[in-house]
């Protein structure tokens, strides 16, 4: 039986995703607790987009697409999260302690050391000074509508808050609309959620949404429901612990502002592909694990297959287990590092999943921009019920050159896969390397290494937030 989620009470960005061509991130500090609570109660909470609303909009977009309607409906969205300091402002110092990583915070020296994050002094200066209590996510289909809703919201909150930092993420224009700034299609693989994601073939594959999309127990992403079982992914496991009943239907959000050095990345790939004697597009695909179109290397190891990349019924339907010698996809490729699929035991692989809900930011690369002149990249957002077991686990393993362990060479020697070349970080911003950029496909044993002297993805700000249920917003928190 699929679990029943209270979609009216869960914020929409968590299990479904707000509809967003533009997304404002408004980081604030509470100045006047009474005025803030009053404004939330009177003018803001009623405008929060629930998961039910977000899902209805998703279905409407699908229906319109099928009917061939062009254009986009205005579907403005609003969600709200609080940091540990924000919860203390609202509930007082005696409040219960939540997830350990959340209570540490993204800017805590222990967190940045564990994740090999750049020193905080290199972050945006707005994230260094004043306390951040929360973030509003405001979404819209165009910039003027976003600006209207953002200004309206700030007007409601008046002197109850001060704005610490505000930035607008935007999808890329035209044919790049679905792509991140390196040019790869994003938003392909997400975990399915039992009770939210409908199985495409319920009779044949009841534990799958789209082919290759495992359905997970909702407690991995929303508090108050069964999570994954530690040994059997098909059975419900225990509910993640809640330190207070009002945490039900809430979720933890990780925000990371990741700058992408696009011209430098392209130049590096060109040089290294020339050195290795391979097509730069193939080298990039081996760093990511997919081609720009989204086609997975496991299904298209030597050349892109845009029809495969664009086909949601095929582009996620693969494993790595039968690619024992990394002939098709390197062990260190981004998607293999962050979700090793059947390289790991199934139950284990599914206990470290996240729902991603980010959006690019910044302008396109300008003509003649050979060194990054404009800040651009990804406003990375993900949801989970344990920041340590989910996001932090993934980032730590992307940084760990020996993950996935136990792999062998064709001649039986052991392999150190290397860092995730996209998001992996070495301590002290040190150099990284990745094994086997050149494919030994379908056979061969040419030994190559990609030495990566600098980061092309650079963390410039981060935060850990709790996204409460709409009931908690209406009651205990206000
Ligand atoms: Fe990644 N990229 O363009 O290379 N990511 N990512 N990511 N990422 C994915 O399946 C990228 C980042 C995950 O289920 C794709 O949607 C870039 C962080 C996970 O098979 C591409 C940045 C973390 C998946 C990129 C970035 C993750 C995933 C394939 C930063 C977590 C799903 C498209 C600027 C710590 C894996 C897709 C799966 C997919 C890219 C960040 C995690 C193209 C450029 C920080 C779990």
């Amino acid at each position: 039986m699929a679990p029943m989620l209270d979609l009216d009470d869960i914020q929409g960005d968590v299990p479904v995703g707000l509809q967003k061509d533009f997304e404002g991130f408004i980081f604030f500090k509470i100045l006047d607790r009474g005025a803030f609570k009053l404004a939330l109660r009177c003018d803001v909470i009623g405008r929060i987009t629930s998961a039910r609303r977000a899902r209805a909009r998703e279905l409407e977009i699908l229906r319109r697409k099928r009917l061939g309607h062009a254009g986009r409906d205005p579907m403005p969205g609003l969600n709200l999260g609080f940091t540990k300091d924000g919860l203390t402002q609202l509930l007082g110092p005696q409040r219960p302690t939540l997830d350990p990583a959340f209570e540490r915070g993204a800017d805590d020296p222990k967190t940045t050391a564990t994740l090999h994050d750049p020193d905080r002094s290199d972050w945006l200066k707005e994230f260094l000074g004043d306390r951040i209590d929360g973030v509003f996510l405001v979404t819209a289909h165009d910039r003027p509508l976003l600006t209207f809703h953002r200004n309206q919201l700030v007007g409601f909150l008046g002197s109850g808050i001060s704005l610490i930092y505000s930035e607008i993420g935007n999808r890329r224009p035209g044919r790049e609309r679905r792509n991140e700034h390196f040019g790869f299609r994003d938003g392909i693989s997400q975990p399915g959620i039992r009770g939210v994601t409908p199985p495409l073939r319920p009779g044949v594959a009841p534990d799958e949404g789209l082919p290759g999309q495992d359905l997970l127990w909702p407690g991995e992403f929303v508090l108050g429901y069964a999570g994954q079982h530690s040994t059997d992914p098909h059975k419900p496991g225990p509910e993640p612990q809640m330190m207070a009943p009002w945490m039900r239907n809430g979720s933890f959000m990780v925000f990371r502002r990741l700058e992408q050095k696009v011209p430098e990345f392209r130049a590096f790939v060109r040089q290294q592909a020339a050195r290795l004697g391979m097509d730069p597009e193939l080298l990039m695909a081996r760093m990511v694990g997919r081609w720009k179109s989204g086609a997975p290397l496991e299904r298209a190891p030597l050349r892109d297959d845009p029809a495969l990349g664009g086909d949601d019924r095929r582009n996620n339907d693969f494993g790595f287990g039968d690619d024992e010698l990394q002939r098709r996809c390197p062990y260190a490729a981004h998607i293999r590092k962050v979700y090793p699929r059947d390289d790991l035991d199934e139950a284990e692989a599914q206990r470290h999943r996240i729902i991603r809900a980010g959006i690019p930011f910044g302008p396109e690369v300008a003509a003649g921009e050979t060194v990054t002149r404009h800040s651009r990249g990804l406003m990375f957002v993900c949801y989970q019920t344990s920041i340590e077991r989910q996001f932090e686990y993934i980032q730590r393993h992307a940084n760990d050159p020996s993950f996935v362990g136990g792999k062998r060479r064709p001649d039986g020697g052991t392999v150190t896969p290397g860092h995730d070349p996209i998001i992996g970080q070495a301590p002290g911003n040190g150099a990284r390397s990745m094994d086997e950029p050149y494919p030994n496909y379908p056979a061969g044993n040419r030994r190559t290494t990609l030495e990566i002297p600098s980061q092309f993805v650079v963390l410039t700000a981060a935060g850990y937030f709790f996204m409460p249920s709409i009931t908690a917003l209406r009651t205990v928190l206000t």
Side-chain angles (χ1 to χ4, degrees):
M1 264 287 282
M4 290 284 288
L5 274 81
D6 190 351
L7 295 179
D8 291 305
D9 201 31
I10 301 168
Q11 297 201 54
D13 207 35
V14 178
V16 179
L18 297 175
Q19 290 66 38
K20 46 190 139 195
D21 285 351
F22 292 84
E23 178 168 20
F25 293 80
I26 303 167
F27 298 91
F28 63 91
K29 174 181 172 181
I30 299 168
L31 289 184
D32 176 338
R33 189 184 326 173
F36 176 73
K37 288 186 175 185
L38 186 66
L40 281 195
R41 276 202 306 272
C42 295
D43 295 310
V44 178
I45 297 169
R47 290 179 159 80
I48 298 267
T49 314
S50 69
R52 169 114 35 226
R53 188 107 196 262
R55 192 169 72 164
R57 287 171 168 182
E58 236 13 63
L59 296 175
E60 175 61 16
I61 291 171
L62 266 178
R63 194 183 68 85
R64 294 180 123 252
K65 220 191 250 166
R66 277 201 208 106
L67 294 173
H69 290 310
R72 285 190 267 292
D73 281 342
M75 292 180 168
L78 176 64
N79 274 187
L80 165 61
F82 294 103
T83 61
K84 62 179 190 332
D85 293 326
L87 289 185
T88 305
Q89 290 299 311
L90 298 177
L91 296 169
Q94 305 305 323
R95 70 169 178 82
T97 47
L98 277 51
D99 173 90
F102 170 79
E103 296 293 350
R104 232 193 293 125
D107 56 353
D108 183 85
K110 267 205 218 91
T111 309
T112 54
T114 310
L115 302 180
H116 300 168
D117 283 346
D119 203 83
R120 269 190 74 216
S121 55
D122 295 331
W123 292 19
L124 294 184
K125 62 178 187 331
E126 292 86 344
F127 277 73
L128 305 183
D130 226 343
R131 200 183 69 218
I132 293 178
D133 288 331
V135 63
F136 284 102
L137 307 178
V138 184
T139 56
H141 75 306
D142 68 13
R143 201 179 278 270
L145 186 71
L146 180 80
T147 308
F148 171 80
H149 283 286
R150 180 194 172 283
N151 293 347
Q152 191 186 44
L153 175 73
V154 172
F156 290 145
L157 296 162
S159 57
I161 61 162
S162 71
L163 293 185
I164 304 289
Y165 184 70
S166 182
E167 185 161 5
I168 296 177
N170 54 284
R171 277 184 185 252
R172 297 185 56 209
R175 292 161 59 92
E176 298 289 335
R177 189 177 136 71
R178 302 178 79 169
N179 302 342
E180 53 68 56
H181 276 289
F182 292 149
F184 287 83
R185 188 175 154 202
D186 207 354
I188 299 173
S189 176
Q190 290 278 31
I193 308 177
R194 292 177 194 269
V196 179
T197 315
L200 180 73
R201 304 165 300 175
V204 190
D207 293 325
E208 222 177 50
L210 289 165
Q213 184 187 37
D214 293 296
L215 294 185
L216 268 61
W217 293 92
E220 295 299 301
F221 311 109
V222 184
L223 289 156
Y225 302 89
Q228 289 296 108
H229 191 276
S230 58
T231 54
D232 183 348
H234 306 290
K235 278 198 203 142
E239 285 183 13
Q241 203 186 2
M242 289 189 292
M243 303 315 286
W246 55 262
M247 291 175 72
R248 186 182 155 75
N249 289 328
S251 183
F252 291 101
M253 186 252 247
V254 170
F255 166 78
R256 287 167 80 81
R257 184 180 185 277
L258 297 169
E259 242 172 47
Q260 289 174 255
K261 307 282 181 197
V262 181
E264 290 85 347
F265 176 77
R266 288 182 187 153
F268 172 80
V269 168
R270 260 197 318 273
Q271 285 157 9
Q272 293 299 313
R275 177 182 70 83
L276 292 159
M278 66 193 289
D279 175 8
E281 294 293 315
L282 174 59
L283 176 56
M284 266 192 281
R286 287 187 64 86
M287 293 166 80
V288 172
R290 290 186 186 267
W291 296 88
K292 283 184 174 161
S293 71
L297 280 182
E298 285 298 337
R299 292 275 170 269
L302 291 183
R303 58 196 61 81
D304 197 358
D305 179 348
L308 169 63
D311 183 349
D312 290 350
R313 296 187 181 206
R314 293 192 295 140
N315 62 15
N316 205 28
D317 195 13
F318 63 92
F320 298 113
D322 57 356
D323 186 14
E324 262 306 312
L325 298 171
Q326 60 179 335
R327 293 195 188 282
R328 296 197 188 92
C329 180
Y331 300 133
H334 176 57
I335 65 160
R336 194 164 183 171
K337 268 310 232 207
V338 295
Y339 176 35
R341 302 186 183 219
D342 51 352
D343 267 343
L344 294 179
D345 161 73
E346 190 186 351
E348 171 64 10
Q350 301 303 351
R351 286 180 44 83
H352 308 288
R353 307 289 307 278
I354 49 177
I355 296 179
R356 291 174 300 136
I359 188 165
F361 70 89
E364 295 295 291
V365 175
E369 187 179 348
T370 51
V371 175
T372 299
R373 268 191 284 121
H374 302 282
S375 181
R376 66 175 66 76
L378 182 69
M379 297 293 218
F380 175 85
V381 168
C382 73
Y383 296 103
Q384 57 255 286
T385 48
S386 162
I387 295 176
E388 272 183 10
R389 176 166 57 81
Q390 294 168 281
F391 163 72
E392 288 191 350
Y393 172 97
I394 296 174
Q395 183 66 57
R396 281 193 294 104
H397 286 79
N399 299 347
D400 176 0
S402 53
F403 185 73
V404 175
K407 298 295 187 190
R408 299 261 151 211
R409 298 260 180 240
D411 57 14
T414 52
V415 182
T416 303
H419 302 86
D420 175 329
I422 304 298
I423 63 156
Q425 304 183 130
N429 200 17
R432 298 169 297 148
S433 68
M434 162 192 164
D435 190 51
E436 204 134 320
Y438 186 90
N440 285 302
Y441 180 84
N445 193 13
R446 180 179 166 195
R447 297 272 62 83
T448 55
T449 308
L450 188 67
E451 303 289 348
I452 313 170
S454 60
Q455 293 285 145
F456 302 111
V457 170
V458 180
L459 181 79
T460 55
Y464 290 164
F465 297 87
F466 181 65
M467 308 293 287
S469 69
I470 296 171
T471 303
L473 283 170
R474 280 193 204 287
T475 56
V476 268
L477 297 178
T478 57

